[in-house]
Amino acid sequence: MNETPHPEGEPWQWPEPTWRRIVGRARAGRSLAPRAWPEGARCAVALSFDADHDTIPLRDADESPMRISQGQYGNRRAMPRILRLLEREGVPASFFYPAVSALLYPDEVRAVAAAGHEIGIHSWIHEANTRLPEGVERELTFRAADTLEKISGTRPVGIRTASWDFSVDTMSIIRELGLLYDSSLMADDDPYELVADGEPTGVVELPPEWIRDDAVYYNFVRFSALRPYTPPSAVLEIFTAEFDAAWEEGGLFLLTLHPHVSGHRSRMPVLERLIAHARARGGCWFATHAAIARWCKENPAAP
């Protein structure tokens, strides 16, 4: 919530051009849900992992070794489990890295890329874009892209803003970088083209959703009387219901997980069972975000 007074007064005082300008910065344009998925598949399945690791406390200037160790778990224990599962199942995935995570664990990034998975941009140090001084987001995003390219050997083609914090400047940065897709905005269930200020951009949006994110179910606030926690069995039920609906509609099922969150012993079976359920239903195309964005851009549904 922006607490800084708006230069044009309270929202109820805004003239129509003001609120139209605001909603038009990054708007959902034409649907890019394709006529058909590759090889006659009924549903596209996009598994993604935001490899935040140590950057959550670092972003908050939190030097607690305990909280930093929780992030290190993502690299030390979770990522080996995740990569073994994906290899066993033959499933490609997309991994979004804050550049600082990649610098802390370059061997991990290289292993992910060598296994055929995608590396995407996910901020510099998991900063909140809407809280940055003017011009800083652009510098950090370009630096992050260069860092990931240097470590992984491949230039990223997609971005997911940290915490899906898409600022008023993010769209122009995406276009300046020449990215194929974004995966931060939530205007649809299926892929669509982003429109900026009334102009189609050619950028594909692969929409995530908090419903299909593990952190909202598993995280809790330690120093609070309210400690929300959802058992893995309930998380599997929610994710399965989301997948089943996407399968029935012939659409996209996009899941966002975090290694340090879902990589624990009791939680990894959620992903394993979800993959098994999708396999049992049949007709699923498991693909990286980049592959899905390219397919949708090249094979849009007829108007």
Side-chain angles (χ1 to χ4, degrees), residues 3-128:
E3 297 180 0
T4 304
H6 195 277
E8 297 185 61
E10 297 294 335
W12 54 267
Q13 296 174 312
W14 290 345
E16 182 173 338
T18 297
W19 49 260
R20 286 197 180 276
R21 182 185 73 251
I22 291 169
V23 301
R25 286 194 180 104
R27 197 76 171 160
R30 61 178 177 138
S31 173
L32 293 178
R35 292 184 292 271
W37 296 111
E39 299 181 3
R42 182 183 181 98
C43 177
V45 178
L47 301 181
S48 59
F49 299 86
D50 292 358
D52 301 335
H53 298 343
D54 311 38
T55 61
I56 301 301
L58 291 176
R59 170 201 63 194
D60 298 330
D62 182 350
E63 299 186 29
S64 162
M66 184 280 289
R67 284 183 283 279
I68 290 173
S69 74
Q70 288 181 298
Q72 187 183 10
Y73 185 93
N75 162 261
R76 185 179 178 87
R77 297 296 289 172
M79 281 298 295
R81 288 185 180 127
I82 291 166
L83 290 176
R84 284 196 301 268
L85 173 60
L86 296 177
E87 181 180 15
R88 185 168 68 247
E89 296 293 338
V91 171
S94 298
F95 289 78
F96 294 91
Y97 277 89
V100 169
S101 283
L103 289 167
L104 284 168
Y105 306 110
D107 289 344
E108 175 187 306
V109 175
R110 286 189 280 266
V112 169
H117 303 298
E118 178 191 3
I119 305 294
I121 303 167
H122 194 51
S123 78
W124 177 256
I125 197 169
H126 214 279
E127 62 275 359

Side-chain angles (χ1 to χ4, degrees), residues 42-260:
R42 182 183 181 98
C43 177
V45 178
L47 301 181
S48 59
F49 299 86
D50 292 358
D52 301 335
H53 298 343
D54 311 38
T55 61
I56 301 301
L58 291 176
R59 170 201 63 194
D60 298 330
D62 182 350
E63 299 186 29
S64 162
M66 184 280 289
R67 284 183 283 279
I68 290 173
S69 74
Q70 288 181 298
Q72 187 183 10
Y73 185 93
N75 162 261
R76 185 179 178 87
R77 297 296 289 172
M79 281 298 295
R81 288 185 180 127
I82 291 166
L83 290 176
R84 284 196 301 268
L85 173 60
L86 296 177
E87 181 180 15
R88 185 168 68 247
E89 296 293 338
V91 171
S94 298
F95 289 78
F96 294 91
Y97 277 89
V100 169
S101 283
L103 289 167
L104 284 168
Y105 306 110
D107 289 344
E108 175 187 306
V109 175
R110 286 189 280 266
V112 169
H117 303 298
E118 178 191 3
I119 305 294
I121 303 167
H122 194 51
S123 78
W124 177 256
I125 197 169
H126 214 279
E127 62 275 359
N129 288 332
T130 54
R131 298 178 182 176
L132 296 174
E134 185 177 354
V136 172
E137 180 187 356
R138 180 188 180 279
E139 191 274 327
L140 292 177
T141 306
F142 271 75
R143 186 165 18 130
D146 292 342
T147 299
L148 294 179
E149 180 180 18
K150 183 177 180 180
I151 294 173
S152 71
T154 303
R155 185 74 173 178
V157 299
I159 188 170
R160 171 172 292 155
T161 54
S163 302
W164 297 321
D165 192 19
F166 199 103
S167 82
V168 297
D169 299 316
T170 305
M171 188 70 249
S172 63
I173 295 168
I174 289 172
R175 298 181 76 181
E176 188 177 357
L177 275 169
L179 297 179
L180 168 67
Y181 75 88
D182 172 71
S183 186
S184 313
L185 303 178
M186 307 178 184
D188 204 322
D189 299 301
D190 294 322
Y192 57 90
E193 182 179 17
L194 285 172
V195 172
D197 303 319
E199 175 189 348
T201 65
V203 177
V204 180
E205 180 62 41
L206 299 179
E209 227 298 325
W210 292 109
I211 300 170
R212 299 186 305 276
D213 182 290
D214 58 353
V216 298
Y217 302 114
Y218 291 137
N219 283 347
F220 66 90
V221 181
R222 179 184 175 192
F223 297 107
S224 170
L226 178 63
R227 296 187 176 189
Y229 178 81
T230 309
S233 58
V235 176
L236 176 60
E237 180 181 351
I238 295 166
F239 288 168
T240 301
E242 282 285 312
F243 164 79
D244 284 342
W247 190 92
E248 291 292 345
E249 293 184 359
L252 169 67
F253 173 73
L254 188 153
L255 185 67
T256 303
L257 302 175
H258 299 77
H260 73 284

